[in-house]
Amino acid sequence: DKWLPLDTQTTHTKLPLSSMALESLKLILVVGGGLAIGVLLNFDLSWVEKTSEWILFVLLFFIGVQLRNSGLTLKQILLNKHGMIIAAVVIITCWIGGAIAALILHIPLYHGLAMASGFGWYSLSGILMGDAFGPVYGGASFLIELSRELVSLVLIPMLIGRKPCTSIGYAGATAMDFTLPIIQTTGGVRCVPVAIVSGFILSLLVPVFMLFFVSLAS
């Protein structure tokens, strides 16, 4: 954000901090309410995953329409310098964090690097780490990436007006799907190509890097 600022002011009015905090509070209440209902009420939710997937497709379709109406070219969307740099910074800093955590927790270095390569994709990372290292590592990976997503829901509305690249980086791989509507709503349409490119690169590299470090650990 300091060396390569992202211009979001041309398409989005900056929200006051109180409004951004309110957006974060709404998201927390929605997630918390869903969790409470899921715990208290025992009914079939097998349809939710498929339905939410189709809702996401519809959201992505309309975001694509909005991108075109905003005047952005296909080159600006796909070959986005900001998105590529954000993805690279996220990867490097996650590995540094994973290495430090491995030293503190006295676990093998490659285990820490593998777990740090989830980049926010909690469903896949939990499965891969569980298959490779057992249920303890699988559960830990799931909680790490889920926590990242929950923290992103809180921080993105509060920070994206002043630090858009940082906010997109917090979202990790979810910047192209789950947190994309939040990024678009609070940051403006100019943030969308950056988020899509960053999230796409990170999502593509999650299984590659995780399995690579797993192979080194075995």
Side-chain angles (χ1 to χ4, degrees), residues 69-167:
N69 290 338
S70 69
L72 294 174
T73 64
L74 190 62
K75 181 180 179 180
Q76 288 175 303
I77 295 172
L78 297 179
L79 300 178
N80 191 285
K81 179 170 60 176
H82 287 87
M84 294 178 181
I85 293 175
I86 290 171
V89 172
V90 169
I91 291 170
I92 293 170
T93 52
C94 282
W95 285 347
I96 293 173
I100 294 172
L103 293 174
I104 294 173
L105 298 173
H106 304 291
I107 63 175
L109 176 62
Y110 292 130
H111 286 52
L113 291 174
M115 294 176 70
S117 300
F119 308 139
W121 194 347
Y122 61 84
S123 55
L124 180 63
S125 61
I127 293 171
L128 290 179
M129 291 299 96
D131 290 342
F133 302 136
V136 174
Y137 283 95
S141 294
F142 176 83
L143 289 175
I144 289 169
E145 307 308 339
L146 182 62
S147 299
R148 182 191 191 106
E149 193 167 287
L150 294 176
V151 169
S152 299
L153 291 177
V154 177
L155 292 181
I156 288 173
M158 297 183 67
L159 297 179
I160 199 166
R162 291 172 288 122
K163 303 288 184 180
C165 294
T166 303
S167 302

